[in-house]
Structures are given as C-alpha cells and as structure tokens.
C-alpha cells in the first residue's frame, strides 16, 4: 500500500511540476499557482487575467491552472494518506508518551490539512471560473497559511519521531 501511494504521489507531483513549468515559461511575469495561493486580491486578479489572456493548445493558460488545481486535490489526498499511514505506524513503535501523543494529534491535523486544502482549491477554482467578474475574488490566503503550518508541524513531529527511533534514543 505504501509503495502504491508513493508511486502515485511522485507521478502526480511530477505531472503538476510540468504544468507549473508551462505556466512559468508562458507568462512574462513567471507566475505559479503557489503565488496565487498567497497573493493579495489585486495580485490574484492580475495573475488570473495574465493566464486568461495567453492562448495555449486551443484554450488559455488558465485551463492549465484549473487542471493543476484539480490535480492538487489528488495530491492532497495522497499526501494526507501517506502522513496518516506513517504517523499511525510510527505511533505503534513510539515509546515516549509525549511524542506518541503528538503523533496521535497528527492524525487529527492530517484531516484538517485535507479539509483546508480542498477548501483552498475550491476558492482557487471559483476565482478561476469568475476571472472576468471584477467584483468577485475570494482570497485563499487565510486558508493556505494554517494548512501549510499544520502540514509543516505534522511533518516535523513525524520526522523527530522517526529520527529518534532510528537512533534508538
């Protein structure tokens, strides 16, 4: 199961990297979807309009960004599945009670990461759909920040526990 998840995770990440490279190379401003997540309202609209104005394969670059965002949902499911799996497996071997409790907390954080990530992607897709509506833009910044903080915290706890186990401390 781990191997299948890792293979799907790597291939999805690689394909998303190719899509991101298309977006960067095709725009003079070198915009990435990651920049859109943390952009202000004005910057976000500017990025979306730049992608919408550049033709690509019979459509626009905005369609590449839409596909990238849909794939990000798959990547989120794969990432959180791997994080859940490894946190659970590590929790079974962790002897130190406080670290074991933090690994248990990782299970809850992982669900939060998935829910926030899906909500963030929904906002991004909504903004992409309404790119020509000058009054409508929902900023995903306040959802992206806690999502990335929770993911970072979960990874740090997991890595600390794995290193502790490997060193037999």
């Amino acid at each position: 199961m781990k191997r299948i998840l890792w293979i799907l995770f790597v291939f999805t990440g690689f394909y998303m990297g190719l899509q991101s490279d298309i977006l960067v190379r095709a725009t003079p401003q070198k915009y990435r979807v990651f920049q859109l997540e943390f952009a202000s309202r004005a910057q976000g609209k500017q990025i979306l309009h730049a992608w919408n104005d550049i033709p690509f394969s019979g459509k626009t670059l905005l369609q590449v960004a839409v596909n990238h965002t849909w794939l990000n949902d798959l990547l989120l499911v794969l990432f959180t599945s791997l994080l859940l799996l490894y946190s659970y497996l590590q929790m079974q071997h962790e002897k130190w009670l406080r670290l074991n409790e933090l690994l248990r907390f990782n299970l809850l954080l992982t669900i939060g990461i998935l829910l926030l990530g899906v909500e963030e992607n929904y906002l991004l897709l909504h903004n992409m759909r309404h790119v020509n509506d000058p009054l409508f833009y929902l900023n995903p910044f306040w959802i992206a920040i806690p999502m990335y903080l929770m993911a970072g915290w979960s990874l740090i706890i997991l890595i600390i526990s794995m290193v502790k186990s490997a060193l037999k401390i």
Side-chain angles (χ1 to χ4, degrees):
M1 182 65 166
K2 286 190 286 189
R3 184 172 288 167
I4 293 169
L5 287 173
W6 273 112
I7 290 170
L8 289 172
F9 182 76
V10 168
F11 280 130
T12 305
F14 179 75
Y15 187 70
M16 286 177 66
L18 293 175
Q19 287 181 325
S20 184
D21 190 52
I22 290 169
L23 293 171
V24 169
R25 289 177 188 255
T27 54
Q29 301 87 353
K30 308 289 186 213
Y31 291 133
R32 297 180 185 274
V33 174
F34 187 76
Q35 289 172 290
L36 185 61
E37 295 178 40
F38 295 100
S40 67
R41 182 181 180 98
Q43 289 172 321
K45 286 183 174 186
Q46 181 182 5
I47 292 170
L48 291 175
H49 282 291
W51 287 340
N52 197 37
D53 293 340
I54 298 173
F56 181 79
S57 291
K59 296 180 182 175
T60 65
L61 278 181
L62 190 60
Q63 188 58 45
V64 174
V66 167
N67 293 340
H68 184 277
T69 306
W70 279 111
L71 272 176
N72 193 30
D73 280 335
L74 174 61
L75 194 73
L76 270 166
V77 168
L78 293 170
F79 171 75
T80 54
S81 297
L82 285 166
L83 191 56
L84 275 171
L85 180 66
Y86 279 100
S87 292
Y88 178 78
L89 291 174
Q90 191 62 30
M91 186 177 63
Q92 303 303 315
H93 301 292
E94 184 56 57
K95 304 279 189 261
W96 194 38
L97 181 62
R98 296 202 193 273
L99 200 50
N100 196 298
E101 289 173 353
L102 287 172
L103 287 167
R104 288 178 191 273
F105 185 57
N106 263 8
L107 302 178
L108 178 64
L109 285 179
T110 303
I111 302 302
I113 293 165
L114 179 62
L115 293 175
L116 287 173
V118 168
E119 177 63 23
E120 178 202 14
N121 286 340
Y122 173 78
L123 290 179
L124 289 171
L125 289 167
H126 182 271
N127 292 336
M128 291 172 189
R129 180 167 173 79
H130 297 284
V131 67
N132 292 320
D133 187 352
L135 300 175
F136 215 81
Y137 183 83
L138 301 172
N139 197 337
F141 176 80
W142 297 108
I143 294 174
I145 290 292
M147 181 191 69
Y148 283 110
L149 288 174
M150 288 168 42
W153 175 258
S154 294
L155 286 172
I156 288 170
I157 296 302
L158 183 60
I159 290 169
I160 288 171
S161 179
M162 288 177 145
V163 168
K164 181 185 161 294
S165 293
L167 296 175
K168 299 188 192 310
I169 297 175

